[in-house]
Amino acid sequence: MGARPLRPCASTPYSASLAALLFVIEVLIALFVRDSFVRPYFGDVLVVMLIFFTLLALWPGPPVRLAMGVLLFAFVVEATRHLGRSIVSGYRTIPLQSW
């Protein structure tokens, strides 16, 4: 059994319209929501979904591989946010920072 060839994603119109809907929701959250849960946490989840569906609409690759790439990207962004906060607040969470 050989590897399956890449084919255009059959759900491209669905993915594009879902990405557009998520973008509108993100803009509405940015403009009108001022709280400590929806904007920082739910908004981040929606951004990851927005990135996934936008790339799925544009890139005809396997959705599982794309999902893993977007998830890895989200983890890296959150890790750098955490490191930035720890450096600004004076905490040294990484042993290599003390060198």
Side-chain angles (χ1 to χ4, degrees):
M1 304 248 171
R4 290 184 283 177
L6 291 178
R7 61 180 176 77
C9 186
S11 64
T12 300
Y14 171 76
S15 300
S17 55
L18 194 54
L21 176 67
L22 287 169
F23 180 75
V24 169
I25 292 171
E26 280 291 332
V27 169
L28 292 174
I29 288 173
L31 292 176
F32 299 113
V33 177
R34 304 277 185 245
D35 69 346
S36 61
F37 178 75
V38 172
R39 190 169 176 153
Y41 297 107
F42 188 63
D44 286 354
V45 171
L46 288 179
V47 165
V48 172
M49 291 170 50
L50 172 64
I51 292 170
F52 172 74
F53 284 111
T54 301
L55 291 177
L56 187 62
L58 299 174
W59 185 67
V64 173
R65 181 178 287 173
L66 181 62
M68 291 296 129
V70 170
L71 185 63
L72 180 65
F73 174 74
F75 286 163
V76 168
V77 168
E78 289 300 320
T80 56
R81 274 183 172 178
H82 174 70
L83 291 175
R85 281 191 206 132
S86 64
I87 291 169
V88 168
S89 61
Y91 294 113
R92 295 178 183 243
T93 57
I94 298 178
L96 296 177
Q97 281 183 331
S98 61
W99 290 6

